[in-house]
Amino acid sequence: MVAVSGSVVFAQSVLVQGNRRVDAETIRSYVTGQGSSNPQEIRQNLMATGLFSNVQVSRRGAQTVVSVQENDTINRVAFEGNRRLKGDVLLGQVQSKARGPLSQQLIDADVERLKEVYRRAGYGLATISGRIQPLPNGRSDVVFTVVESGKTGIKSINFAGNGAYSSSRLRGLMTSTESNFLSWIKTSDVYDPDRINSDLELVRRYYLKNGYADFRIVSSDARFDDAAGGWVVDVAVDEGPQYRVGNVSVDSRLRDVDPAALQSLVNTSAGDTYNAEAVERSLVTLTTEVAKRGYAFAQVRPRGERDAAGQQIGITYVVEEGPRVYVERINVRGNTRTRDYVVRRELDLGEGDAYNKVFVDRAERRLNNLGFFNKVRITNEPGSAPDRVVVNIDVEDKATGSFSVAGGYSTSDGIIGEVSLSESNFLGRGQYVRIAGTMGQRTQGIDFSFTEPYFLGHRIAAGFDLFSKFNDNTNVGYFESRVTGGQVRFSFPITEEFSITPRYSIYTTEIKIPNSYSKPYNDCSVPLEGITPGTLTGTPASTAFNCLTNGEATVAVKEAQGTTLTSLVGLNFNYNSLDNYQSPRNGFIAEIKPEFAGVGGDSKFLRVSADARYYREFLEDFVGIARVQAGHVQATGDDLRMIDHYFLGPTLVRGFAPSGIGPRDVLNDPTGNALGGTTYFGGSLEVQFPIFGLPRDLGLKGAVFADAGTLFNYDGGSKSVTNPNFGACPAGSEARQFNVAIVSGFQSNVACVRDKNIIRSSVGVSLLWQSPLGPIRFDYAYALSKDDGQFGTAVLPNGQTITGKFGGDRTQAFRFSGGARF
């Protein structure tokens, strides 16, 4: 029997009093449904709901009397004073909710939650308070007042127990950094526990890669130091000894699998420093090879035998039959944007295949390296049968698009700016798309790139590029050029380090010679009234003042005027074993590029170039770099067009101006008209080192270098000169005749080519800054050897003579390049 009267409800020997909004049956359930008759315990359970400000429980004969005083209801939750973090973000962090119960205890807990949110965002000194604003009808507003502070980042990252590597070196491995005077433009000093954990994993893998097989992180602690005004991170490590690899062997327990045949696939060798990554690569290679031989369930595991006294680890790769377990199902979870197949294709196994942990571990590394996810975790759970397993891949998508505005200055291109829009996970399909526009003093351009990393479902990166670039070369050759075209490319990974990229390019090159009042670079052929000396209203022409002395393009450029089409096929052979692509310390990178032009079009040549760099850290933070480069281009039809030659300067030997090395026409301008060369080679040695006394995360390094190289053999024009009136070339140069008409008595259709195959060399110092705004580099070089030119006498077509110094390289001691991205 149930009787209801006002706010008093009696049923089942429980009397409920004082309730207004909370249903009496709900309250009664805490008495009859909790299995407890202790009044104090009943009171505690009801108070724990947060619905009541006071609860009294008493006995009245056979009845239990529950008297409650309900909390007010929250009308709304509001925030004031928050500018750095939006209200929607803060609302998702608090437990106080509109239409929920009002509780001072809950508000106090929410204040602490909000303080933690601000600490994680890097504003740990923010003060937060909560207040209750009463309203009629038992409702109240909850208002959180925020007094924000300046950014409070990581004040210090401290390591203890490390001896092999300094604390600054270990901090340099981390993406988290300490606060300094650059904190206003960086966010890497904001404390993020997930990022700290990822950083410690980087430290661990670094030790394991460098021989410290027993390394472990003993503890890590982060605390907010009010006195310091920021976070202090303390990390204790136990390095253990550094091991070298002892005996390496393969123990095959599979029939018909000869261990000797597998030995050559192992990436570890006796005497090497122990490298956990090399062991992982060996496991993958051996597992793949054994699977190809029909042993789908085979597993490969390393067995290490430590020799503590000799500090060696003998490694035996045991190949044996594993448990016959099949993949029943692969679940991809948490991906709100990235499509399932983008995740699944990184696994070298599918549903119904034999389960292999080596392949699963490699898939996890691949997914992390994609850069599409904040975190990746692969776990297993039992399937529907003992020989079935379910693979769960949990990911968290992150933003992969970027809009950037870059600006900078280089001594070759002047002031330059770039606007680019890129997306590395286009539409969640894993495709890379980029469009960029460049505008500078001497260069403008636009380019578009698209890459599909899995072409037709295979691990082949296919893509295309479209581009148009204008260059003002009047400072080196008195002409302007525009290259417009496109390229199709395919990249085939052969191993982890080696890949081959076939490509096809088609582009047009337009050469123009400015001929205006400010740039009269073609007025020997097309005189400008009042500007060209010798015109009716101009200054009389003489050997000291004529159409050559105000700047004139060489006849080689005049012959190349117009538009040419190049249709080219090529291959890129790439090898890369660098330990870090952004700031390498050890490893080798090389590229060989054979190219053939002549599949249609106007240009016909065979070109091969190569570039290789070796990095070696010989002391902590002292990195030696050795580089060699070479190239050769050979015409396969008529003479090689001038635009198909190599034009080099500081990219070959620092200390020389752009197009400052190699053959040139010395008659028009002793050093200004570069013609390019067909052959070049060069080498350089460089040592990069830290600048002592400066924090590592400032990104400042110094360098000293020595360069040597040469560019020679211009293959344009005819050595058979048939023009009897061209005059005579000065000593040290050779006459070449071109198919072009000239109307001036100061310039004929013959160029005087100085082409000296001598080694150019230089030494210098550099300052490198990996700034938050982009990489910046300053080079100062002193040329040790160069082509100094030669004194002589030239005879002009009109019979006049010019005596002086002809030819010579153009030097440029200071070189600066850098940019900003924001």
Side-chain angles (χ1 to χ4, degrees):
M1 176 178 178
V2 179
V4 180
S5 176
S7 61
V8 179
V9 181
F10 173 72
Q12 300 179 1
S13 300
V14 178
L15 179 66
V16 178
Q17 298 175 327
N19 60 309
R20 293 175 298 171
R21 294 181 303 277
V22 182
D23 185 67
E25 288 298 331
T26 300
I27 300 173
R28 190 176 293 112
S29 67
Y30 281 84
V31 180
T32 62
Q34 298 288 333
S36 174
S37 59
N38 187 328
Q40 184 62 26
E41 187 174 346
I42 295 173
R43 179 182 182 278
Q44 290 176 351
N45 290 339
L46 286 169
M47 288 295 294
T49 64
L51 299 172
F52 311 103
S53 60
N54 189 29
V55 176
Q56 297 293 329
V57 181
S58 61
R59 300 287 188 183
R60 186 182 298 171
Q63 290 183 331
T64 299
V65 180
V66 181
S67 300
V68 299
Q69 181 178 345
E70 294 181 356
N71 283 322
D72 284 351
T73 301
I74 298 176
N75 177 59
R76 68 184 180 98
V77 178
F79 301 90
E80 59 184 25
N82 58 306
R83 297 187 307 277
R84 302 187 185 277
L85 298 181
K86 295 182 178 180
D88 291 342
V89 174
L90 300 179
L91 188 60
Q93 302 297 321
V94 298
Q95 298 297 317
S96 299
K97 303 294 183 182
R99 296 184 297 278
L102 181 68
S103 169
Q104 185 61 51
Q105 182 180 3
L106 192 60
I107 293 173
D108 293 340
D110 285 339
V111 167
E112 295 304 314
R113 292 187 188 95
L114 293 174
K115 288 181 179 178
E116 181 64 22
V117 171
Y118 267 89
R119 286 194 190 103
R120 283 179 172 248
Y123 304 100
L125 296 180
T127 59
I128 302 173
S129 60
R131 72 175 190 273
I132 298 172
Q133 188 72 38
L135 299 173
N137 300 321
R139 304 176 73 84
S140 297
D141 287 343
V142 176
V143 181
F144 293 99
T145 301
V146 182
V147 179
E148 295 181 335
S149 65
K151 188 169 75 170
T152 53
I154 301 174
K155 289 301 180 181
S156 64
I157 302 175
N158 307 312
F159 284 89
N162 55 305
Y165 300 107
S166 65
S167 295
S168 63
R169 175 63 172 273
L170 299 181
R171 283 191 291 267
L173 300 173
M174 305 172 70
T175 58
S176 301
T177 61
E178 297 176 338
S179 298
N180 52 40
F181 69 90
L182 294 175
S183 294
W184 64 281
I185 53 175
K186 70 176 183 176
T187 58
S188 58
D189 61 338
V190 174
Y191 173 70
D192 183 338
D194 293 334
R195 185 166 61 193
I196 290 291
N197 289 334
S198 297
D199 287 339
L200 295 182
E201 177 63 16
L202 293 176
V203 172
R204 188 185 74 85
R205 294 188 67 86
Y206 182 77
Y207 270 96
L208 294 179
K209 187 176 72 172
N210 287 280
Y212 294 88
D214 297 332
F215 174 83
R216 64 190 182 95
I217 294 176
V218 178
S219 65
S220 63
D221 175 64
R223 67 184 189 280
F224 189 82
D225 190 328
D226 290 311
W231 291 89
V232 176
V233 179
D234 297 313
V235 182
V237 302
D238 180 8
E239 293 179 332
Q242 186 183 40
Y243 291 92
R244 290 193 171 273
V245 178
N247 293 326
V248 179
S249 62
V250 177
D251 178 10
S252 174
R253 300 176 183 178
L254 301 177
R255 187 177 58 185
D256 302 329
V257 176
D258 183 9
L262 300 178
Q263 187 76 38
S264 62
L265 302 176
V266 174
N267 292 311
T268 51
S269 302
D272 291 347
T273 301
Y274 175 80
N275 185 339
E277 291 184 1
V279 174
E280 291 175 355
R281 290 196 298 269
S282 298
L283 293 178
V284 172
T285 303
L286 292 174
T287 301
T288 304
E289 179 62 25
V290 172
K292 290 179 181 178
R293 300 189 181 196
Y295 292 91
F297 295 97
Q299 64 179 14
V300 183
R301 56 182 177 85
R303 186 178 67 213
E305 298 176 0
R306 281 177 171 77
D307 176 6
Q311 294 185 357
Q312 289 187 341
I313 297 181
I315 304 174
T316 300
Y317 296 93
V318 180
V319 184
E320 59 189 356
E321 278 286 354
R324 290 184 171 270
V325 177
Y326 296 88
V327 178
E328 178 178 308
R329 190 171 66 254
I330 299 174
N331 297 323
V332 180
R333 305 182 299 202
N335 53 318
T336 58
R337 181 168 175 269
T338 303
R339 314 215 174 177
D340 277 14
Y341 70 83
V342 173
V343 178
R344 291 174 181 270
R345 69 191 183 189
E346 297 301 328
L347 280 83
D348 291 324
L349 47 84
E351 292 163 341
D353 291 345
Y355 176 80
N356 194 304
K357 189 176 186 304
V358 171
F359 292 154
V360 172
D361 291 343
R362 178 164 71 168
E364 186 167 1
R365 291 194 298 272
R366 285 175 174 173
L367 288 170
N368 276 308
N369 291 336
L370 287 177
F372 299 167
F373 310 107
N374 285 317
K375 55 186 176 182
V376 177
R377 186 167 178 261
I378 301 182
T379 57
N380 304 326
E381 64 181 51
S384 58
D387 64 345
R388 299 288 187 270
V389 65
V390 176
V391 178
N392 296 317
I393 306 175
D394 294 286
V395 299
E396 180 184 315
D397 281 309
K398 71 176 183 180
T400 53
S402 68
F403 172 78
S404 65
V405 178
Y409 175 82
S410 73
T411 45
S412 59
D413 294 327
I415 298 173
I416 187 171
E418 179 189 79
V419 178
S420 66
L421 179 65
S422 66
E423 172 58 70
S424 60
N425 188 13
F426 183 61
L427 299 178
R429 297 173 177 170
Q431 299 163 336
Y432 176 79
V433 179
R434 181 179 186 268
I435 185 170
T438 304
M439 178 67 72
Q441 283 181 292
R442 292 188 285 272
T443 182
Q444 296 92 42
I446 186 171
D447 63 87
F448 175 82
S449 295
F450 174 85
T451 302
E452 166 55 64
Y454 274 78
F455 183 63
L456 298 179
H458 298 282
R459 194 176 290 275
I460 300 172
F464 65 89
D465 308 292
L466 302 174
F467 52 85
S468 180
K469 185 175 182 180
F470 168 82
N471 279 305
D472 182 350
N473 302 295
T474 54
N475 61 325
V476 295
Y478 302 118
F479 68 95
E480 298 171 346
S481 66
R482 176 175 293 278
V483 179
T484 303
Q487 173 180 255
V488 178
R489 50 189 160 73
F490 299 88
S491 182
F492 297 85
I494 307 303
T495 66
E496 293 287 337
E497 294 88 11
F498 180 65
S499 65
I500 299 176
T501 304
R503 53 193 167 82
Y504 170 73
S505 303
I506 184 168
Y507 56 89
T508 61
T509 305
E510 183 183 13
I511 301 294
K512 289 184 177 180
I513 302 176
N515 197 35
S516 63
Y517 291 102
S518 60
K519 297 179 179 180
Y521 302 147
N522 197 25
D523 62 341
C524 282
S525 299
V526 184
L528 297 173
E529 188 68 35
I531 296 297
T532 304
T535 57
L536 291 177
T537 59
T539 305
S542 65
T543 56
F545 194 54
N546 53 64
C547 63
L548 298 180
T549 58
N550 63 7
E552 187 71 10
T554 174
V555 291
V557 173
K558 294 183 178 183
E559 183 187 63
Q561 280 189 100
T563 301
T564 58
L565 176 67
T566 301
S567 177
L568 177 149
V569 293
L571 281 174
N572 285 26
F573 297 93
N574 298 97
Y575 180 86
N576 190 338
S577 64
L578 298 181
D579 57 348
N580 186 298
Y581 292 169
Q582 299 296 325
S583 182
R585 296 174 180 272
N586 292 284
F588 180 73
I589 182 170
E591 181 181 50
I592 300 176
K593 297 169 57 178
E595 298 171 318
F596 173 72
V599 189
D602 303 312
S603 297
K604 300 183 185 303
F605 60 81
L606 177 65
R607 182 166 62 194
V608 180
S609 62
D611 191 351
R613 303 187 194 200
Y614 176 71
Y615 295 79
R616 179 74 175 182
E617 185 177 28
F618 57 92
L619 293 174
E620 183 172 335
D621 292 337
F622 282 74
V623 179
I625 306 170
R627 180 186 184 187
V628 293
Q629 54 180 319
H632 177 73
V633 58
Q634 179 71 48
T636 58
D638 297 330
D639 291 340
L640 192 69
R641 295 172 181 269
M642 190 202 75
I643 58 175
D644 295 325
H645 286 70
Y646 292 110
F647 291 83
L648 297 173
T651 57
L652 183 66
V653 182
R654 282 164 285 193
F656 290 83
S659 299
I661 295 175
R664 49 205 341 106
D665 180 359
V666 299
L667 184 59
N668 291 6
D669 185 324
T671 63
N673 274 300
L675 299 174
T678 62
T679 306
Y680 75 91
F681 59 85
S684 68
L685 295 174
E686 181 173 319
V687 175
Q688 297 181 358
F689 52 86
I691 299 178
F692 297 101
L694 295 179
R696 179 191 298 268
D697 65 315
L698 289 184
L700 280 170
K701 293 189 294 185
V704 294
F705 61 83
D707 295 345
T710 187
L711 169 68
F712 60 94
N713 192 25
Y714 173 68
D715 186 26
S718 173
K719 296 182 180 180
S720 177
V721 178
T722 60
N723 183 356
N725 300 317
F726 83 92
C729 288
S733 63
E734 180 185 30
R736 300 281 185 95
Q737 184 169 309
F738 294 85
N739 184 23
V740 61
I742 305 293
V743 299
S744 171
F746 292 91
Q747 185 184 45
S748 70
N749 61 348
V750 175
C752 295
V753 179
R754 181 176 177 83
D755 188 354
K756 295 296 181 181
N757 180 13
I758 62 173
I759 298 296
R760 283 80 168 178
S761 62
S762 67
V763 294
V765 296
S766 301
L767 178 66
L768 296 80
W769 185 21
Q770 193 66 34
S771 77
L773 298 177
I776 297 175
R777 178 170 184 137
F778 304 85
D779 292 323
Y780 181 83
Y782 175 75
L784 296 176
S785 61
K786 63 182 186 295
D787 179 9
D788 289 317
Q790 187 172 343
F791 281 94
T793 299
V795 181
L796 299 177
N798 60 9
Q800 295 180 344
T801 60
I802 301 176
T803 300
K805 186 177 181 180
F806 294 88
D809 295 329
R810 300 180 67 181
T811 59
Q812 179 181 280
F814 177 72
R815 184 169 180 245
F816 164 74
S817 64
R821 194 169 297 276
F822 44 87

